[in-house]
Amino acid sequence: IPSAMQRAENITVDVMVADRAWIAADRAFQYLESVAVSSIVPALGPHTGQSRVLVEGTKLAETPDALCLFGGTTVPVEYVGGEFVCETPALEVAVVELEVPLLISLNGQQYQDTGTTFLYYEDTVHATAANPASGPVTGGTVSTIAVDNAPLFVEGVASCKLESLSWPAGSSPTTLILPAANGTSGTMTCPLVTAPSAGDYSLTIAPNGQQYTSSAVVFSFYEEPTFQAFIEASGPVTGG
């Protein structure tokens, strides 16, 4: 195949057999423009893999042979709703942190460096406390969650999840990471949804918004108190 073309296009392919006349192969070869990747979301995930990475950019053509290469491992590209998605492979050896380049091939052979990297981390991130640790079943409480390994969290990507409860459609929880002075522990804020009944629920966190930690803190929902009557409806102006 010629090494380069001036533009992306389809060309016809002819075949010569034993130095005889050219024979039309009735097949076309497609030249594609180089991809231009602007970002990947999320750009981090646990070393166990299975993070679904959305690749954003232009000229990400839909082809049957497209592959993503994370470090030295290839995975097929999925086209979901017109979006270019790759699921990260698991690392063979657990690591504390490892950053690998992401390369993309549209034909399964030639790879292009996207200029982006994916950060693998060890699944040792924990939520350690919630403040406040309770709120009404009607929702609206914003709880501050203490976390360790705060530098892994990215505002707008990291998220919270309450056991068996889902966030309202189109309103995923916003988070704000405030690393402490030591650079490791920190906090994130979680606006909490309504609960079907009072009780204790497990609250977990995900630095990449997908894989949630195995450790959890407990958040307690209670019924809204209702006013019935004053026991004493009057008293002296001096108080007491």
Side-chain angles (χ1 to χ4, degrees), residues 47-111:
H47 64 83
T48 50
Q50 297 185 326
S51 298
R52 294 182 61 78
V53 177
L54 170 64
V55 181
E56 300 177 314
T58 58
K59 304 172 184 176
L60 295 166
E62 183 172 345
T63 67
D65 303 312
L67 295 171
C68 282
L69 178 65
F70 291 90
T73 305
T74 59
V75 292
V77 171
E78 299 178 51
Y79 297 94
V80 182
E83 296 181 327
F84 202 93
V85 178
C86 299
E87 185 173 291
T88 59
L91 294 181
E92 294 182 2
V93 180
V95 295
V96 176
E97 288 186 23
L98 177 65
E99 196 169 40
V100 299
L102 171 62
L103 281 69
I104 288 178
S105 172
L106 295 179
N107 66 353
Q109 294 185 20
Q110 286 88 11
Y111 286 86

Side-chain angles (χ1 to χ4, degrees), residues 4 12 14-16 19 51 53 64 67 73 76 105 115 130 142 158 169 181 193 210 217 231:
T12 57
D14 295 336
V15 178
M16 178 181 285
D19 294 329
S51 298
V53 177
L67 295 171
T73 305
S105 172
V142 177
V193 295
Q210 293 184 21
V217 294
I231 301 300

Side-chain angles (χ1 to χ4, degrees), residues 130-136 138-145 160 162 167 173-176 188-193 203 219 221-222:
N131 182 28
S134 62
T138 51
T141 304
V142 177
S143 183
T144 299
I145 311 302
C160 316
L162 278 167
W167 305 104
T174 57
T175 62
L176 176 63
M188 63 188 296
T189 57
C190 299
L192 301 181
V193 295
L203 190 152
F219 188 88
F221 282 99
Y222 55 79

Side-chain angles (χ1 to χ4, degrees), residues 144-167:
T144 299
I145 311 302
V147 301
D148 58 14
N149 218 345
L152 287 177
F153 289 76
V154 179
E155 185 174 356
V157 175
S159 61
C160 316
K161 182 176 72 172
L162 278 167
E163 166 194 18
S164 73
L165 301 181
S166 60
W167 305 104

Side-chain angles (χ1 to χ4, degrees), residues 115-137:
T116 61
T117 57
F118 185 86
L119 177 66
Y120 282 100
Y121 58 81
E122 190 176 13
D123 189 15
T124 56
V125 181
H126 302 102
T128 57
N131 182 28
S134 62
V137 293

